[in-house]
Each structure stands twice: as structure tokens, then as C-alpha cells.
Amino acid sequence: MQTHNLGYPRIGAQRQLKKACEQYWVSKINLEELNQVARKLREENWQVQLDAGIDIIPCNDFSLYDQTLDMSLLLGVIPQRYTQILTEVKTNQETDLYFAMARGYQKDGLDITAMEMTKWLDTNYHYLVPEFTAKQEFRIFSEKVFGEYNAAKRLLGAKAKPVLIGPVSFLLLGKEKETGFERIDLIKQLVPVYVEIINRLRLQGAVWIQLDEPCLALDLSKKEKEAFVFAYRSIANRISGVKLFVATYFEALLDNTQLAVNLPIAALHIDLVRAPEQLDEVLALIPEHLQLSLGLVDGRNVWKNDYEKSLQLINKAVEKLGTDRVIIAPSCSLLHSPIDLEFEITLDSEIKNWMAFAKQKLNEVSELKQIKEGNINLLELNKQAIESRRSSKKVHKQVVKDRITSFTEADAFRKSAFPVRQQLHRERFNFPPFPTTTIGSFPQTDDIRLLRSKYKKGEFTLSQYDHAIEQATIEAIRWQEEIGIDVLVHGEFERNDMVEYFGEQLDGFLFTKNGWVQSYGSRCVKPPVIYGDVSRPRDMTVRWSTFAAAQTNKPMKGMLTGPVTILQWSFVRDDQPRQVTTNQIAFAIRDEVLALEAAGIGIVQIDEAAIREGLPLRKAKHPHYLDWAVQAFKITAGGVQDKTQIHTHMCYSEFNNIIEHIAAMDADVITIETSRSQMELLEAFADFEYPNEIGPGVYDIHSPRVPSMEEMVSLLERAADLLPAQNLWVNPDCGLKTRKWPETKAALENMVAAAKQARAQICLNP
Ligand code: GLN
Ligand code: ZN
């Protein structure tokens, strides 16, 4: 039985790659110095995997920015707008082209936009979306994979396995940049280049080549299935002497099982963490020649593997296939997990004993093999850790569990229907038509960040820190009053991050010191870890909201993060369904909503920025997810009196398939991102005849550009064409945390002027 790994984090345990890239971008280090850091990281990673006893070790999983971008460069998929770099930039051309595609290029009189970024399937990792044109040509452009394989071979010999994104997923994960063709049809032109790459790698000595085809675990059309058959048959016919390893992950193969096991390849990897139940069907259908890689160790989370469970799966596979055809591995690339638990020297030792990061996960893979070969001691140690977690009082709180079970469906409904509430709100707040508000945060300037870091380092006392935050809050409130915003916010100056701020105050969460995971390029995040039943020991935001409310006679919105978003941006428990954890968070937030209400806050916004990105990969699973996600929101909001106005905010586009669920959340007001789509996505709300109030963002907060009043008025006109004008609010697309004050002030002044203009110009009752 062999062990195998699909990919390893490349940022480095001290985030060396992040630092080196950022220094290279501002010319503090040169290309040779950047490459040196990269080379060292790759070699260290290979050594770690070798030391852990992994038999098949990935290379070319390393990337300076993103592995999908690497593929685009390898295959010569370089959008037209970058050709000037190839003709005009002379030094470091390929690297500059590469970073230009990743980040845009504004130098040497050129101004070229970056490629679009989107989430890698259902992870929080973002990749650069390949762009295809009707006459797309493919050719080997970058030599990176060949160089990396050579270096890996020197250290690892036959164990080195180059990793590529497979041809079908590469096409499907990209997008058409013009009309008149379907990108999947490009498979015919693409395959010959894969053949050329594979043959070159074989000549260099490669024994295995991994082709990631995560799309094999998604819903596929007939044509897409045919593309898989075509691609792999064509490749197989034109290569020999090298074994193809197709990797799937994040979902079960389901209806694609036949297709996957019958591809002319040497090995197939399946994710048995996400979908252990698929093993039976795969074993039933697997042909004689195919080796099966079992994804047993969770590459997406921080918990120790339960060896007993894994061994059951291994035994089942070995019984059918024999040890020679079974390979054991993590469930997916370890890119998505933090690097090394050993750096967490301050973690509670009991909880630390339940956890494993990337380096530890390699050992788990290796230990599973050793146990299978008879080293039973290792199994005993693991059993103790698993049992300690299963029965720990740190995890299990009966009161939290009781609260969830005693709750009834009716508690998740507002007392009266929306029209009744709307009437009460109109009487209570007496807003003008097109009321103005913002999404919550105001610029987190360097001054604010410095305050926080000084306080954390102990250079500031709590009262000094609080005082400074109070001053920033007061200023923001004065300023909002001056320009005439209708519903004020306190500015969120006291918050580092919209999830972390709540996680730090809730029981059941822990924070690592160094648990960084790459989000995109040089950006890394350190997600909170939810390890136990979640409860709220004390008020979390009441102090700041009431302080802010006391500074003004205008209504002050309370600001909370919703349960699904908190869940989605954390490492979660794997010992209970996500739904249960979400409900626990929902109750904690519900109590906070009620505390704000009791403290006199009349409007509370519960952000659910991530509800859409939590959608499962397979459509069949959407209804169940949406049901419980909406239910969780309703738990948070359902306790308040009719006269309290509940807002929610979501910052993405595409509402088409989920609009009925958004409506079921029954928020009194929803604010959404719409400006970049020119209100197009409001059509989903219009078609649905969305009944509640809605604030379509009238300006894009992702850029420093200040929109004119006229622009915003015309967006409002467009919105009023689609939806009842008396239900419309006026606000930016999202929070203003990442902006600077000058542009924020200018834009919001224009926004308030636009609302006034709309009041004068747009008929309210058409
Ligand atoms: N209230 C948050 C803010 O304004 C919302 C951020 C978000 O939607 N991502 O920053
Ligand atoms: Zn947002």
C-alpha cells in the first residue's frame, strides 16, 4: 500500500512567500531573491513530505500566486490585453506578465486590468479565472512545470509527481470572454498541448502525473461528460510509459462514477472525507487495472483523523482491491489547511491534542499505513485523543444543546407579517422616501490599526484604546449627521474583522497564533476554530452601539454578523452537522439582537455576506442547505418586536436561483451589491416581486473612484423602474473599511445628493 499527497501549502510556515512577493512588487528585492525564497520553500516542503514517509509527492503544486494562473501561462492562455507586456517589457518578462495577469499592471505608461478572481469550488481560496476566446489557441508558453519537476526529481527521485489541473476542469473553471462559442468545445485544441506536456515530463523521468479534475464531482451536462471521455482517450492514445493520476475532491462522483472509473488512467483519487459513502459504488464499478487513492485525512479542516473510521474504509478497499491497488492520502490538497500545529505553543493542550495541521496530516497518512502493517500502538494513541474530544466538557455544554432542542419553529417567525411591521416602522422612524444609510464600516485607517496593535502589545491600556475608538466613532457620527445620512452607523472601528470580532467573544471558539491559510496571492487568512458548543457569555456589541446611539438623535443601526457567515469563514466542528453549529451561533446572535433591542436600538443589521457562497457544489443539495441557512437567520431575527427594523446585507451578485430563499429570510430591509451590474441583478427581485424593502448598492466600494450624483440618480431611476420606489433605500454596495476618508466623504456626499434628487424627481406611486 502506497501513501500519496495531492498538494502542500506553499506560503511557508512564517508566510515567507507572502513577504517575498510583496517585497518584489515594490522592488525591495529582485527576481533572483524572490526565486531563492520560492526554491527554498519548495525544497523544504518536499523534505517534509519525504520525512513523513509519503511515497508519491507532488511538485508544481507550488505557485508564486495561484496554480490556475500557472496553468493559463503553461498553456499560453494569455488574454490579448497583456500582449503589450510581452512586446514592451524587457526584463523579468514572464514574471511581470504573470503578476500583471494576477494584479493588473500600471507602470511604464501601461494600464492593464487584472484577471477576474473567484472562489475555488466551495473553498475560501480564490483563483484567477482563465479567459477564453472563440479562436483560442493553446501552446506551451511557460517552462515552470518542467523546471520544478527536474528540481523535485533531484531530491525525490521516482517519488516526484508533477501536478496539473486537468484539461476539462481547466476549461470548465474558466469563462468565455466573447459570445458565439462554448469553452468546452475548445477541448479538441487543448488536448494536443496536454499530450506534449505529459510526453516532455515522461522524457524527463516522471512516473506519475496528477491531473486535478474536481469538476468530475460536479453536476455535468452530457457534453461535458463526453469531453472527459474524449480528452482522456485522446491523451491515453498518444502517451505511454507514464501513469495518469486523476484527482477528484470536495464531492462524491455520484452519477459520474461510471465515467470516472472507466477513464483510461492508472489511478483515481476520491474524497472520502466529504463523501465516505461513495466508496461502495466506486468499488462495485472499478475495473481491474485501476488503482484507487482513498482521500481519508481531511485537507479542509484542523481536526485529527479518526483512525478507526479510516481503517474501516481502508479495509473495505483492500478486501476488494488488494494492498497493491490501494493508495492512501489526504482528501484534497493540503493547501487549504494551516501548516504546522507545533507553532501553536499557547493553545490549550487538551484541545491541541485533537488537532492536526498540514504537517501533522502527512504523518497521519503515514501512520494509517503503519497501523495497517501492524503497528497497533499508533491506533491506541489516536483512540485516546478521539475519545478525549468526544467526551470533553470543553466541547459539550448541555444548556446549549437543550436550548436548540426546546426551540420551536414558531420562534423563528416575526410576530406580524411584513406589511404590518412596515407600517409601524414608517410611523416610528418617519424616514423620507429613498432613505440613506451605509453598510457599517468606515475607513480602517492606519491610525485605527495602529491603535489596535499598540493595545495588543500592551503599549496602550484598555481605557486609552477605548477612548481613542470613541473619538473615531464620535467623529464619524458628527460627519454622517452633517451630510444628512438618515440611518447612521457607528463605523465598526472597534472591530478587526467581522467574524473574528464575534468569535473572540463567543464560547466555543479558539484562535491560533499562526494558523494561516492562503486566500489568494499573498493574502492569507487565519480563520477562527469552532471547537465546542457555542454560547454567548456576555453582550458583545451593546457597549459600542449604545455609546454611538447616545451621540445623536438620528437612528443608529446595530451591526452584527450572521450565523452562516461566521460558520462559513471559520474552521468548523466535524463531529456534528454544520447545521447544528450554525443554529448554536444563531441563538447567540439572537440574544445579542434582543440585548440591542432592550438597550433601545431600533434598527439592527445582521450581515449574511457568505450565505450564497455556502451553497453546496451539487444542485441536489441546495434546497436542504438553503432551508437551514434561512432558518438560522430567522432564529437570529425572530425574537424582536414588530417595531424593531431588521436589516440584512449580502455582498455578491447572482440572486437568481436563491431569490425565494432570500425572501423567506423576511428581513425588513436588505442591502445588496448591485452597482457593478448596473442594477441588472435587481431583475431577480423584480421578477419575484420581492415584497420587503431593499437597498441596491448605488456605488462600487472596491475602487477609490468617486461616482457622480447623476450616475447614482440614474441607477436609482433604473431601480425604481424595477421595484416599488417607496421600498427603496440608498446605500453603497458594501462596507467602507478598505477605503480612505477623502473618497468616502466625496462619494457619500454625492450619494446623499442623489437621494435628494431622487425624492424630487422619481414618482413614488407609479
Ligand atoms: N458590516 C460589514 C462592513 O460594513 C459588512 C461587510 C461585508 O459585507 N463583507 O464592513
Ligand atoms: Zn458586503
Side-chain angles (χ1 to χ4, degrees), residues 439 498 607 609 649-652 671-673 701-702 733-735:
I439 307 305
M498 66 188 282
D607 290 326
H649 165 72
M650 295 175 189
C651 45
Y652 35 81
T671 56
I672 56 171
E673 177 190 319
I701 55 87
H702 298 91
D733 269 345
C734 191

Side-chain angles (χ1 to χ4, degrees), residues 44-250:
E44 283 169 5
N45 286 352
W46 291 328
Q47 194 62 49
V48 165
Q49 297 175 78
L50 205 54
D51 293 346
I54 302 295
D55 301 316
I56 310 174
I57 298 174
C59 64
N60 198 46
D61 55 333
F62 181 86
S63 176
L64 284 176
Y65 203 94
D66 165 44
Q67 72 273 10
T68 318
L69 179 60
D70 294 358
M71 282 307 295
S72 292
L73 230 67
L74 169 60
L75 298 164
V77 182
I78 300 160
Q80 181 70 28
R81 62 184 181 282
Y82 300 105
T83 41
Q84 263 175 307
I85 295 181
L86 291 175
T87 52
E88 285 168 38
V89 178
K90 294 292 174 245
T91 46
N92 304 345
Q93 197 186 67
E94 184 174 325
T95 314
D96 279 7
L97 169 67
Y98 179 80
F99 285 132
M101 290 165 77
R103 314 174 59 238
Y105 194 87
Q106 284 181 311
K107 248 191 342 205
D108 316 327
L110 300 176
D111 184 358
I112 314 177
T113 56
M115 290 170 70
E116 196 179 306
M117 217 163 44
T118 195
K119 287 189 183 236
W120 179 247
L121 302 141
D122 62 354
T123 70
N124 281 329
Y125 175 81
H126 301 66
Y127 71 99
L128 290 149
V129 182
E131 296 179 12
F132 302 114
T133 55
K135 297 216 168 59
Q136 187 67 51
E137 285 172 15
F138 302 97
R139 68 188 164 104
I140 295 180
F141 177 86
S142 159
E143 294 288 316
K144 169 183 178 275
V145 60
F146 310 109
E148 270 181 36
Y149 171 70
N150 265 343
K153 192 175 102 175
R154 275 195 294 277
L155 191 71
L156 308 172
K159 291 181 175 165
K161 171 198 59 173
V163 179
L164 303 168
I165 296 171
V168 182
S169 295
F170 179 69
L171 290 177
L172 292 180
L173 294 170
K175 69 191 274 186
E176 291 97 0
K177 286 307 265 194
E178 55 194 28
T179 52
F181 79 107
E182 284 179 58
R183 61 190 187 281
I184 194 67
D185 292 330
L186 299 172
I187 194 73
K188 290 202 181 59
Q189 292 91 291
L190 181 55
V191 157
V193 187
Y194 271 83
V195 170
E196 202 183 329
I197 295 165
I198 293 167
N199 276 326
R200 274 186 62 181
L201 288 167
R202 175 185 59 91
L203 287 174
Q204 284 179 256
V207 180
W208 284 107
I209 292 175
Q210 175 180 325
L211 294 163
D212 279 23
E213 290 283 12
C215 293
L216 258 180
L218 305 184
D219 299 316
L220 294 174
S221 68
K222 185 159 168 281
K223 192 171 191 180
E224 290 162 351
K225 288 184 187 171
E226 284 164 8
F228 269 108
V229 175
F230 169 82
Y232 283 86
R233 280 203 190 139
S234 318
I235 292 173
N237 285 339
R238 291 153 70 186
I239 59 164
S240 63
V242 59
K243 299 194 273 186
L244 298 188
F245 206 134
V246 164
T248 68
Y249 35 80
F250 305 158

Side-chain angles (χ1 to χ4, degrees), residues 25 119 190 223 237 302 480 509 688 705 722 735 756:
W25 296 334
K119 287 189 183 236
L190 181 55
K223 192 171 191 180
N237 285 339
V302 293
Q480 292 173 79
F509 283 74
F688 185 79
R705 185 174 169 272
L722 291 163
K756 287 188 180 143

Side-chain angles (χ1 to χ4, degrees), residues 409-559:
E409 186 86 348
D411 296 325
F413 282 92
R414 298 290 297 272
K415 291 167 187 63
S416 307
F418 175 70
V420 176
R421 300 185 326 248
Q422 188 178 36
Q423 194 50 42
L424 287 173
H425 301 156
R426 289 196 166 144
E427 284 157 18
R428 177 175 183 186
F429 300 114
N430 199 20
F431 294 134
F434 296 102
T436 51
T437 190
T438 59
I439 307 305
S441 57
F442 275 125
Q444 286 259 340
T445 54
D446 290 345
D447 288 357
I448 300 283
R449 283 182 223 279
L450 192 66
L451 282 178
R452 200 163 10 256
S453 96
K454 282 199 168 162
Y455 168 57
K456 280 202 172 149
K457 283 190 213 141
E459 291 167 26
F460 263 10
T461 63
L462 178 60
S463 78
Q464 281 174 315
Y465 172 72
D466 278 358
H467 181 74
I469 296 286
E470 283 178 358
Q471 288 314 307
T473 308
I474 291 172
E475 267 174 55
I477 293 169
R478 278 294 88 77
W479 180 76
Q480 292 173 79
E481 284 181 324
E482 267 164 39
I483 69 162
I485 301 238
D486 298 305
V487 175
L488 310 197
V489 297
H490 72 284
E492 302 181 21
F493 300 110
E494 78 289 8
R495 302 184 189 176
N496 35 7
D497 170 271
M498 66 188 282
V499 169
E500 197 174 330
Y501 185 73
F502 291 92
E504 277 174 346
Q505 303 187 72
L506 290 166
D507 282 350
F509 283 74
L510 68 83
F511 289 82
T512 63
K513 285 265 175 320
N514 218 9
W516 296 100
V517 180
Q518 189 176 17
S519 169
Y520 61 87
S522 70
R523 191 177 149 76
C524 303
V525 293
K526 198 152 60 69
V529 176
I530 307 176
Y531 67 89
D533 288 335
V534 175
S535 59
R536 170 185 167 277
R538 62 194 76 82
D539 291 350
M540 300 186 283
T541 63
V542 176
R543 180 232 185 274
W544 286 109
S545 283
T546 50
F547 170 81
Q551 312 301 317
T552 179
N553 293 324
K554 292 250 179 127
M556 176 65 60
K557 255 196 296 196
M559 285 294 158

Side-chain angles (χ1 to χ4, degrees), residues 11-23:
I11 50 174
Q14 279 81 40
R15 287 181 294 157
Q16 299 93 310
L17 185 61
K18 168 197 176 65
K19 290 163 195 163
C21 281
E22 288 175 357
Q23 286 181 322

